[in-house]
Amino acid sequence: MKKAFFVLSTATLFNMPNLAHANINVCVFDLLAKSGESYKFLEEWALASKNWGANIDLTAYKDEAKLDQDFKAGKCDGFYMTSMRARNYNKFAGSIDALGGVPNNAIAQKAITYVLDKRNQKRLITKSGKETYEVAGIGQIGPAYLFVRDKSINTVEKLNGKKIAVMEFDQAQKIMVKRVNAVPVMSEISNFVKKFNQNEVDVVPAPAYAFKPLEIYKGLGNNGAMVNFPVLNVTADLIIRPEQFPEGFAAQSRQWFVRQLPKSFAMVQRVEATIPSKYRMELDKDAKEKYQKLLRDARMDLTQQ
C-alpha cells in the first residue's frame, strides 16, 4: 500500500505544470539592468506566468549583443530585447519597426495588437534548422527621434556629409543613411550615444527612453536639438523556445502583453514628457513631407530587397 502511494505521489509531482517547467530562464535587455522599466515590466510578466504553469527566472543584461550570444549558446530559454536585433528570429514581428512605418503611438498600439492577434499565430513561429522560435509578446519602447549636435541640421539636405550612428546589425539603417548622402558610423546599443556625446558623430537616432540614462543631453550641449519627428518606432520582442515552456504558454503570454499596452504607452508618454522643451525642434511642413517621402521610398525599396 505504501509503495503504491509513493508511486502515485511521484507521478502526481512530475505531472504538475509548475514543477515540470521549473527554472525557465528568460534573459532581459535593459539599459538600466534591474532598475529599468523593461526589466520591471518583465517582472510583472514573470509573476503572471505562474498562472500559465511556468516558473520564470529573469537575468538582466545591459549588453544586448552579449544577451544574443548567450541565447544562441542555450543559456536562455527566451529573451526580451529590441526588435531591431530580434528581427533575425521573426521578421513578421520585426516589421513594426520598419523605417517610418509607424508615425505615432496610436498607430503603434494598433500595429502591436494586430501582430499579436491569434489569427497571426503561425506567422509568429519561426523554424531555423533544429531550432523553433515563437514570439510570446511585444512591448513598446517608443518612437525614435533624431538628436543633432547642431540645430541648424533641420532639413534632409543638411544631413549631407554628416556622421550618423547606426546599429551595425541593422542593414536598413545603413541603407537609409547612405540615401541621404550621410556617413554611417557602425555602433552598438552599448556605445551609440557615447559616440554622440564624445563628438564622434553628428546625429544619433534614439527613443526618449534613452535620453536620461544615456545622458544624451551631454551631446546636445547648448546648440543641439531633438528633431520632433519620429523616424521609426522601437519595440522589444519576447521570443521563446516553445518546447521549454508549458503547452499554450505563448498564446496566453501574448494576450497578457496586449492587455498591458495602455500601461506601456502611458509609460512612453511619461518618459517623453521629461525631455525639456528647450531641446525640441519642430520641422516645417515642407521638411516633414520630405522626411515622410524619404522614409516611404526607403521602406518600399527595402521590402523589395
Side-chain angles (χ1 to χ4, degrees):
M1 186 69 180
K2 289 182 178 179
K3 184 176 181 181
F5 177 77
F6 175 77
V7 172
L8 180 61
S9 300
T10 304
T12 302
L13 284 171
F14 277 100
N15 280 288
M16 288 177 66
N18 284 347
L19 294 177
H21 292 276
N23 301 321
I24 298 172
N25 187 34
V26 173
C27 300
V28 182
F29 167 68
D30 194 307
L31 293 170
L32 299 178
K34 292 184 178 181
S35 301
E37 295 284 353
S38 291
Y39 187 85
K40 291 176 182 176
F41 180 61
L42 264 289
E43 282 186 317
E44 293 181 28
W45 167 81
L47 184 61
S49 295
K50 293 182 183 296
N51 297 320
W52 318 323
N55 188 13
I56 306 290
D57 291 332
L58 300 178
T59 304
Y61 284 75
K62 284 187 175 182
D63 186 340
E64 194 178 59
K66 172 62 175 168
L67 187 161
D68 192 27
Q69 181 182 350
D70 282 359
F71 178 73
K72 289 174 179 174
K75 295 180 181 179
C76 315
D77 300 308
F79 66 73
Y80 187 71
M81 65 182 177
T82 63
S83 299
M84 288 182 289
R85 194 186 294 271
R87 189 181 292 135
N88 292 327
Y89 298 92
N90 187 278
K91 290 182 171 59
F92 181 65
S95 66
I96 295 174
D97 290 11
L99 290 165
V102 176
N104 56 55
N105 283 322
I107 293 177
Q109 187 164 346
K110 290 180 180 178
I112 294 172
T113 302
Y114 169 73
V115 170
L116 294 179
D117 189 273
K118 60 184 179 181
R119 291 170 294 180
N120 290 316
Q121 181 171 344
K122 291 183 178 179
R123 295 186 177 97
L124 297 172
I125 299 174
T126 306
K127 293 186 182 296
S128 178
K130 295 180 180 180
E131 293 274 20
T132 300
Y133 309 113
E134 184 167 4
V135 179
I138 300 173
Q140 174 74 349
I141 294 177
Y145 304 92
L146 294 181
F147 290 87
V148 297
R149 292 182 59 83
D150 186 343
K151 62 182 65 174
S152 68
I153 307 174
N154 58 0
T155 65
V156 172
E157 291 80 7
K158 290 180 181 178
L159 289 171
N160 190 345
K162 296 295 186 290
K163 294 179 180 179
I164 302 179
V166 301
M167 297 300 110
E168 61 183 356
F169 54 82
D170 192 346
Q171 191 67 20
Q173 292 186 32
K174 301 176 195 175
I175 294 172
M176 184 69 217
V177 169
K178 290 180 179 179
R179 286 179 80 101
V180 297
N181 298 314
V183 181
V185 177
M186 300 302 105
S187 309
E188 264 290 349
I189 289 180
S190 58
N191 65 18
F192 76 121
V193 172
K194 185 178 180 181
K195 292 182 179 182
F196 180 71
N197 290 348
Q198 294 180 347
N199 201 19
E200 295 176 30
V201 298
D202 306 294
V203 182
V204 62
Y209 181 69
F211 184 80
K212 189 175 180 179
L214 297 185
E215 302 178 320
I216 293 178
Y217 50 86
K218 289 185 176 180
L220 295 177
N222 295 321
N223 200 41
M226 180 189 89
V227 181
N228 205 19
F229 179 89
V231 291
L232 60 86
N233 188 67
V234 183
T235 59
D237 290 346
L238 173 64
I239 293 183
I240 65 172
R241 292 185 170 95
E243 70 276 6
Q244 301 298 324
F245 291 75
E247 186 176 352
F249 178 90
Q252 294 185 80
S253 176
R254 291 192 291 267
Q255 291 173 12
W256 183 88
F257 267 80
V258 171
R259 290 195 297 271
Q260 305 309 308
L261 284 177
K263 185 196 296 185
S264 297
F265 279 87
M267 180 274 291
V268 171
Q269 291 173 340
R270 188 172 67 249
V271 171
E272 288 189 346
T274 64
I275 298 179
S277 58
K278 67 178 181 178
Y279 293 124
R280 296 175 184 270
M281 179 171 66
E282 299 294 336
L283 298 177
D284 61 33
K285 183 180 178 181
D286 182 58
K288 284 184 179 179
E289 288 179 352
K290 285 184 178 178
Y291 265 114
Q292 286 170 342
K293 184 179 186 306
L294 181 72
L295 291 168
R296 179 178 179 274
D297 291 347
R299 192 165 63 250
M300 293 173 67
D301 184 34
L302 287 165
T303 301
Q304 289 176 352
Q305 292 183 40

